[in-house]
């Protein structure tokens, strides 16, 4: 068994049918199943693997760096399952599991917290400034 987090690229391009990849990606919830569809006749990349969301709309593609590896394993007939992991800024990610079973979502990290509340009257030196605090 092996699990991977993979980037989904091209979410800002329109699909051939006019559907909006970014909107579809934003509507997809973490844990929803996604399909990986190899496109060996893709004119830009013969290793391209499309990522199809749970409503049948393309979200984008696996990155060109990872698609050959994933495609090789899919072509060997390895059992694979993929789910939407989430978005981080302008990027989307899926979670892929080889070897049977369903992928698991990583535990989200806690957001950074300030150690003390912000005081508008306090002096806060510039961390990138010179040693004398200007």
């Amino acid at each position: 068994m092996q699990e991977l987090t993979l980037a989904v690229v091209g979410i800002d391009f329109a699909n051939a049918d006019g559907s909006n990849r970014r909107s579809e990606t934003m509507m997809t919830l973490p844990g929803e199943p996604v399909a990986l569809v190899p496109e060996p006749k893709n004119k830009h990349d013969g290793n391209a693997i499309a990522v199809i969301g749970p409503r049948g709309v393309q979200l984008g593609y696996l990155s060109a760096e990872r698609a050959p590896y994933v495609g090789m394993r899919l072509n060997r007939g390895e059992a694979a399952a993929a789910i939407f992991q989430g978005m981080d800024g302008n990027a989307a990610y899926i979670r892929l599991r080889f070897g049977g079973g369903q992928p698991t979502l990583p535990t989200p990290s806690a957001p950074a917290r300030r150690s003390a509340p912000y005081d508008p009257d306090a002096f806060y030196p510039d961390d990138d400034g010179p040693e004398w605090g200007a």
Side-chain angles (χ1 to χ4, degrees):
M1 176 212 40
Q2 180 187 16
E3 287 197 24
L4 306 165
T5 294
L6 301 167
V8 179
V9 300
I11 66 172
D12 287 320
F13 291 94
N15 287 321
D17 65 1
S19 58
N20 187 305
R21 292 179 186 176
R22 177 168 288 280
S23 292
E24 189 64 28
T25 301
M26 292 173 72
M27 290 188 297
T28 305
L29 299 173
E32 287 190 295
V34 296
L36 301 179
V37 180
E39 293 185 353
K41 295 183 180 180
N42 184 301
K43 65 181 178 180
H44 301 289
D45 182 358
N47 294 314
I49 298 177
V51 178
I52 309 299
R55 286 165 288 285
V57 176
Q58 182 176 354
L59 304 179
Y61 288 93
L62 293 185
S63 69
E65 293 80 21
R66 292 293 186 188
Y69 172 73
V70 172
M72 174 191 67
R73 293 187 70 177
L74 292 175
N75 287 337
R76 280 194 273 182
E78 289 189 50
I83 59 174
F84 186 73
Q85 183 170 325
M87 290 188 73
D88 184 20
N90 287 325
Y93 299 92
I94 64 165
R95 189 80 172 163
L96 173 64
R97 180 178 178 139
F98 286 108
Q102 288 299 308
T104 56
L105 291 173
T107 305
S109 59
R113 296 186 328 163
R114 288 181 174 250
S115 58
Y118 175 74
D119 180 358
D121 297 319
F123 174 72
Y124 295 98
D126 182 359
D127 292 335
D128 295 327
E131 284 101 31
W132 45 270

